[in-house]
Amino acid sequence: QSLRNMTASSPWAGPFCAGARVKSIAVAGDMLFGVGLDDEVHLQALSAVGSSDKWDGSIALDASISSFTIAGSNVYGVGVDGKVYRQVATSKWELAARGPMRDVAIGQSAARWLKNDPTWSRSGGDDVGLWASAIADDNWGTPASEGPANLLGGGRWRTRWHDIRDQWFVLDLGGAMSVAAVRVQGALGEPGKSPRGLRLQFARGLLGPWSDAVSFEGAKEAWATAWLPMATMSRYWRLYVNDTWGSGGEGEDMCIVSGFALAAAPSPNVPQATPVAASPRAQVGVGCHERFVVPPKPVKATDYNGLELAPVCLNRTQGPHHVFIIGDWGGIVDKEGQPPKPADHRGDLFPEQQRPFVVGVDDAAQLRVARQMAARAPSSRPDYILNVGDNFYWG
């Protein structure tokens, strides 16, 4: 039924959704979730709702879900035990902490699945090692017809014989994009060649270094969907295959990916968000988000000079609203992973502040402030943290 045309006497079209009788539904991207009369959660693509395609299910093997809702890029379900669960893989749910429930109550728009573009990657013998770990070259196909660009154009990506572990292909989206989810389809008709252990990774450049955005388990022939714990902004992405379903001894000795898709993070005020060119004044991201989307950690503090974060719209009317403001902070890091050394204002340049060094305070000022902010955050629930600057020390 169309909400725009609904009246008290409007007839409904249907019934839809062959193969399942459901008592509640929710939509995430192009996927429709339904709780059936059997209290099992089922799944169907929106494009197949009016067809005879049956639903996939049950997808809630680790929890009995009675109802659920979509919040941003996450699917939350209320179990028959009254507890809230979050879907972390195709058939796996985990008990959710209290934190996400605020976002569930507020509600966020669903992620939007992107249309693949073959120019995001490459296919060819010269591209092996940069764009893909391996591409098949045998009697059944060549690198020009079996590479990741072919996958993005509706074909498939197939590795060489015996390349079944630690395989990957790289994407360059042409501009920074906030990604919320990933979908991967295994080898059609050849389940043993389907990827099993999967990781979606991001980087600042085509050569890495790569960081994991989400790890998940692939499905034999079918689609496996994974939602990122937090929407991640990057231009460069890599799908990494740890192993295949045949790696354990089923005799399958290559890896095949038959389908792939990325979902953009919610942009409630911009229906069609598109990547932006990587120019000096380009935005990092597009659209209007309900949360600030943080780009990957830069190598240098000046790496993002001239770039702007995607705009954020705080449309919620529920209050109160809190903001944490911090400034005049900073230090130097002697070793990666160690806390920073705060600038020392007790020296000769600051005679009015001269005093003895206090161990646990003067050498841990930023950590103490951070602990207080963390202690206050659960009660204040800040919408964002505003950095007012003057935080490049010592320089």
Side-chain angles (χ1 to χ4, degrees):
Q1 176 63 276
S2 169
L3 291 177
R4 293 182 179 181
N5 302 323
M6 183 181 289
T7 66
S9 59
S10 295
W12 286 62
F16 299 119
C17 309
R21 298 182 63 189
V22 295
K23 56 187 178 182
S24 66
I25 60 172
V27 175
D30 68 343
M31 301 308 298
L32 178 66
F33 294 80
V35 176
L37 300 183
D38 55 1
D39 290 328
E40 298 289 350
V41 180
H42 299 265
L43 180 69
Q44 167 124 293
L46 286 177
S47 59
V49 165
S51 72
S52 60
D53 292 352
K54 291 187 176 182
W55 286 49
D56 296 327
S58 160
I59 64 168
L61 302 183
D62 291 352
S64 296
I65 307 297
S66 60
S67 65
F68 50 86
T69 187
I70 308 300
S73 60
N74 290 308
V75 181
Y76 295 95
V78 178
V80 295
D81 56 4
K83 298 178 180 179
V84 176
Y85 294 82
R86 181 174 69 91
Q87 189 182 24
V88 294
T90 304
S91 299
K92 183 176 179 61
W93 295 64
E94 69 177 6
L95 191 64
R98 291 184 58 189
M101 289 311 298
R102 181 169 181 262
D103 292 334
V104 173
I106 294 169
Q108 300 176 0
S109 60
R112 179 177 61 84
W113 291 97
L114 303 174
K115 181 180 179 180
N116 286 331
D117 185 342
T119 64
W120 287 350
S121 194
R122 303 289 186 273
S123 293
D126 294 339
D127 299 312
V128 173
L130 178 62
W131 292 92
S133 58
I135 305 177
D137 188 2
D138 50 35
N139 294 333
W140 295 272
T142 67
S145 62
E146 299 278 6
N150 303 99
L151 170 67
L152 298 173
R156 66 181 183 177
W157 170 52
R158 184 168 66 92
T159 68
R160 299 173 304 184
W161 290 95
H162 310 302
D163 288 331
I164 57 177
R165 289 185 173 86
D166 300 316
Q167 301 300 306
W168 48 267
F169 66 81
V170 174
L171 305 174
D172 176 1
L173 302 185
M177 176 71 72
S178 180
V179 172
V182 59
R183 298 179 63 199
V184 175
Q185 186 179 29
L188 298 177
E190 301 177 280
K193 295 181 173 68
S194 299
R196 179 168 56 180
L198 289 161
R199 287 184 281 166
L200 182 67
Q201 302 175 315
F202 63 94
R204 294 182 58 255
L206 195 63
L207 300 178
W210 297 95
S211 301
D212 289 352
V214 66
S215 299
F216 61 106
E217 186 175 80
K220 297 180 179 180
E221 301 186 68
W223 285 92
T225 302
W227 300 98
L228 278 61
M230 177 179 294
T232 302
M233 179 79 71
S234 184
R235 170 178 173 171
Y236 301 97
W237 294 88
R238 183 169 80 166
L239 183 71
Y240 194 97
V241 179
N242 298 331
D243 55 6
T244 65
W245 283 99
S247 300
E250 294 182 22
E252 305 290 358
D253 46 9
M254 69 171 56
C255 175
I256 298 177
V257 176
S258 300
F260 176 84
L262 294 175
S267 299
N269 294 343
V270 180
Q272 296 295 326
T274 56
V276 296
S279 64
R281 293 299 302 173
Q283 288 183 332
V284 179
V286 291
C288 192
H289 299 270
E290 293 188 358
R291 287 281 187 268
F292 285 98
V293 180
V294 181
K297 176 184 176 182
V299 175
K300 297 181 296 184
T302 56
D303 282 353
Y304 288 129
N305 279 0
L307 300 183
E308 300 174 355
L309 286 171
V312 172
C313 300
L314 302 177
N315 298 319
R316 304 188 305 275
T317 58
Q318 300 95 329
H321 292 274
H322 294 118
V323 178
F324 283 176
I325 301 176
I326 186 172
D328 200 21
W329 60 277
I332 59 174
V333 178
D334 287 337
K335 295 181 180 180
E336 185 68 26
Q338 297 296 316
K341 283 186 176 179
D344 193 347
H345 282 189
R346 303 174 306 106
D348 296 336
L349 295 177
F350 307 95
E352 71 282 359
Q353 299 184 39
Q354 289 186 354
R355 57 171 176 77
F357 188 88
V358 180
V359 177
V361 176
D362 292 321
D363 57 348
Q366 294 184 86
L367 299 179
R368 293 170 67 92
V369 173
R371 285 195 291 267
Q372 291 302 313
M373 293 173 67
R376 181 71 181 180
S379 58
S380 295
R381 305 291 297 178
D383 287 301
Y384 56 91
I385 299 173
L386 180 63
N387 175 27
V388 298
D390 196 14
N391 56 286
F392 285 86
Y393 287 95
W394 304 321

